Amino acid sequence: MRVCATAPFAAEDVLLEASAALEASSARWRPHDLLRLRELAVFDGEPAWVRSAFERAPYAVVRRALSADGFVAIGVRGELRSQRYGTWSRIADIDEAVPPEALAHRAPRDDRGALPAFVALAALAELAAAGSHTPDLLRGLAWGPAGSAGFELATGVATATASSDLDLLIRAPRTLTHDLARALLDQLEAVAGRAGVRIDAQLETPAGGVALAEWAAARPRVLARHASGPQLVADPWASAAPATQ
């Protein structure tokens, strides 16, 4: 986030509530979920553009940060790339949560469908369709668009541009082998090449968010982004259930 609000709770409250907050976050709202808010609380450090952005689209994205009881960490996006604001929402102000996977098969407005990010998303949705005759590695996984494409599909507000990447979130609660990750990356890159867009795919693992490209490269350790902070890990699924793939 470019700017972050002063936390509306004391540091000791986070320490006391850290485990509970992490558990509640995984069960209710997860990073990259979009939250429709009935109100955006005002805290110290808010940039001037935030109120107009919230009036334009009363949504915020769940971000990775620890929160005290009664709050969830969120990010607000403005019209410009530089306008990103990290803050907190009161749980009582949340009306609805829209996870990326709920947007995987949602179409943009007719006049927006030719944007490269939406062309790529439509191609992925077609591949993942049960009736497709083309083998697809996304089939059976929970996945969907995040970033500008996801925001536009959730809110109906034109957000993606001709140069926007397609940010893709892939839920990976169980081990994804390096070979399968490499094959999935190759498939995504083929779709991206045909659509003329870059697909930035992230695996959501028990250790946090891991770039698909990093895991596919079979590096000794990969960067996992977690609410408690980024960390280098050898196995993002070390504490998860055994693999089924």
Side-chain angles (χ1 to χ4, degrees), residues 208-229:
V210 174
L212 174 63
E214 285 193 24
W215 185 247
R219 297 179 181 175
R221 293 194 297 170
V222 293
L223 183 66
R225 294 172 174 82
H226 191 270
S228 58

Side-chain angles (χ1 to χ4, degrees), residues 1 9 11 19 22 26 57 66 139 218-219 225 237:
M1 290 294 160
F9 41 78
S19 297
L22 284 171
S26 63
L66 295 177
R139 196 174 300 159
R219 297 179 181 175
R225 294 172 174 82
W237 296 274

Side-chain angles (χ1 to χ4, degrees), residues 19-86:
S19 297
L22 284 171
E23 183 178 352
S25 175
S26 63
R28 302 177 71 182
W29 304 290
R30 297 172 292 182
H32 298 286
D33 285 358
L34 284 165
L35 304 180
R36 184 163 59 86
L37 306 175
R38 64 175 62 97
E39 182 180 347
L40 180 64
V42 179
F43 302 122
D44 291 343
E46 179 179 289
W49 56 265
V50 170
R51 289 297 122 184
S52 60
F54 185 70
E55 289 177 7
R56 177 171 169 257
Y59 285 79
V61 64
V62 178
R63 63 187 178 91
R64 299 183 197 277
L66 295 177
S67 296
D69 190 32
F71 293 92
V72 60
I74 60 169
V76 179
R77 67 182 300 145
E79 295 187 59
L80 305 178
R81 259 182 97 84
S82 60
Q83 293 177 334
R84 300 292 185 269
Y85 174 55

Side-chain angles (χ1 to χ4, degrees), residues 52-187:
S52 60
F54 185 70
E55 289 177 7
R56 177 171 169 257
Y59 285 79
V61 64
V62 178
R63 63 187 178 91
R64 299 183 197 277
L66 295 177
S67 296
D69 190 32
F71 293 92
V72 60
I74 60 169
V76 179
R77 67 182 300 145
E79 295 187 59
L80 305 178
R81 259 182 97 84
S82 60
Q83 293 177 334
R84 300 292 185 269
Y85 174 55
T87 184
W88 283 265
S89 171
R90 293 183 292 251
I91 288 176
D93 290 334
I94 298 173
D95 267 342
E96 179 189 14
V98 184
E101 52 266 44
L103 304 169
H105 300 278
R106 188 175 296 186
R109 292 191 329 237
D110 290 345
D111 62 332
R112 305 281 296 166
L115 290 176
F118 293 132
V119 170
L121 182 62
L124 292 175
E126 183 177 352
L127 282 174
S132 174
H133 297 293
T134 305
D136 179 63
L137 296 170
L138 282 175
R139 196 174 300 159
L141 296 174
W143 61 275
S148 58
F151 191 85
E152 177 165 340
L153 291 173
T155 66
V157 175
T159 308
T161 68
S163 61
S164 293
D165 295 343
L166 174 58
D167 295 314
L168 204 67
L169 182 75
I170 303 170
R171 307 284 184 197
R174 293 177 294 277
T175 301
L176 192 71
T177 66
H178 291 299
D179 288 344
L180 188 55
R182 180 70 250 177
L184 178 55
L185 183 64
D186 288 345
Q187 189 170 56

